[in-house]
Amino acid sequence: MSQSPSVTLYPLGGLGEIGLNCMVMVSGDDMVIIDCGLMFPDDSLFGIDVVIPRFDFILANKHKLKGIVVTHGHEDHIGALPWLLPYVDVPVFGSPLTLALVGKKLEEHNLKEFVTLTPVAKNQRIELGVFAFTFIEVCHSIMHGYGLGIETPAGKIVHSGDFKIDRNPMDGHFTDLDAFARFSASGVRLLLSDSTNVERDGFSLNEREIKGALSDLFHKATGRILVTLFSSHIQRMQEVFELAHDTGRKVAISGKSLFSNTEIAKELGYLRIPPDSACTLDDLPGMPDDKVVLLVTGSQGEPLSALSRLSTGEHRQLRVHPGDTVLLSSRFIPGNVRAITRLINRLYKLGAEVLYDNVQAIHASGHAYREELGIMLDTVKPKFFIPVHGEYRHLVKHCRLAVSRGVAPERALVIEDGNPVTLFADGGIRLEDAISVEHIYVDGKGVGDVGQSVLKERALLAGEGLVIVVLVVDEKTGEVTLGPNIMSKGFVFEQQYSHVLEDAKCIVWDIFENIPPGNPELLKERIRSSLRRFFRKILERDPVVVPLVITL
């Protein structure tokens, strides 16, 4: 078996979590990366900006790397590129819109002039070493995403990308099942398919239904309409501009990412704004409320977004008016639900009416539901199946669906990040030894310097606070010249608990008098352990205690 031509898949992210999508394919001396995404931190990752895949395997084999293929322009598929591209010199391939969004990210990191971005059209075929990629158009919540038909020395592989099957598409945005079928006609060894919505039965809502629901709301609203959505959802923006034009309103944009993406989409011809339907924020004073639509950032309750600043009265140019209708035309990403709920409550306090996916059909998922996933399986008819893009339960349920659609149970494989799989041309398959894929945390300009020990300390500080003990000792006499001073940071309100802190000072004095002079490390350790025991006993709290013993 080992003499047979082979291809090995190394999943570096996206198998076991939503986001962080990154798959590496290796055959002989050739290597290609499919997607390079990030993941946003949850509440437990204090201070972390973004999470990116570990690139050690890529960098160790970068002499083999022929190119990077990106399926579409969402952050969970392109967001980690600025942290990889400084270390590899290969072209990046994707649709024109995808690469425009990549280019914008690279500009922000001063990398664009050093990277070759190569746009590809639908159904175009490119060769990267021993691999050949055919780009197949798919429908998703961002325009011009691609699935991939991949020819390898071990047979054909299909990567679905993020997709849905819109049975009544608008503007030709559809998943080209005919192209998938043509590519698969001679047989497909392996299908890698999006698992995000495998738990949802039937078909997802289509964009035509969403536009119909939005149209009803636009015609009924008597005040201003505020719409927030993912800044990459160009098609939904097109609908907002068209509906504003139909109802005699003008659209103003607030939010850097929305403004940037609309400019990119206009330049590429993907966003066609009807005449006299756009205005600036400076044009709004004096305009009647029933003639205004505001397109704003903040669909996930981000603290610095336009909608969040509006809800707290901190927006420089805008205020919420009683009677405003706010449309949250996006899904609630897990981990952001509490922030979004707080945002909604603040908007209601200001007199706005807020509509969102749970109460009004104003958002359609970009990911295929169970029946659509089944159609993809029926179209490709793979010999082997590996689910991607999902949490572990999604992967398991997608494998069960594949088996129900004709894939042999032993050929439907659940693998996680860091579990390589090798396909051989003679028909065999082998699970390889795991590789290291621990997530890398980006905090400001620091990449990977914050690990579990630092995060544990941050969690302790966030949970119990900090107590600082300052003691200045004369080195010659051994006498205390200053202190002990005790400062509480996030532990207790000092005025209310001054008696507790005074008792703590007495404990420090007792320790000092019983420790031989000239041993500051022992003194600090005794202060730390004694005060932690004291605070646990008196207040049932366990702060971080930092003794500072200074000898002069």
Side-chain angles (χ1 to χ4, degrees), residues 526-541:
R526 289 282 176 82
I527 291 172
R528 183 183 296 110
S529 59
S530 297
L531 288 190
R532 288 187 65 187
R533 282 197 302 271
F534 170 70
F535 292 133
R536 280 198 298 266
K537 180 179 179 180
I538 300 300
L539 298 175
E540 295 185 356
R541 300 181 189 179

Side-chain angles (χ1 to χ4, degrees), residues 5 22 48 54 57 91 120 138 175 203 221 225 269 279 294 341 360-361 366 382 394 417 425 432 436 439 456 493 510:
C22 186
I48 299 302
R54 179 173 288 278
F57 176 81
V120 289
V138 294
T175 294
F203 288 85
I225 300 173
C279 67
L294 297 174
T341 302
Q360 193 84 25
H394 300 139
D417 298 344
E432 307 289 355
S436 177
H439 299 162
K456 185 176 180 181
F493 182 50
D510 289 342

Side-chain angles (χ1 to χ4, degrees), residues 230 232 246 248 279 374 397:
F230 293 127
S232 58
D246 293 345
C279 67
K397 292 179 179 181

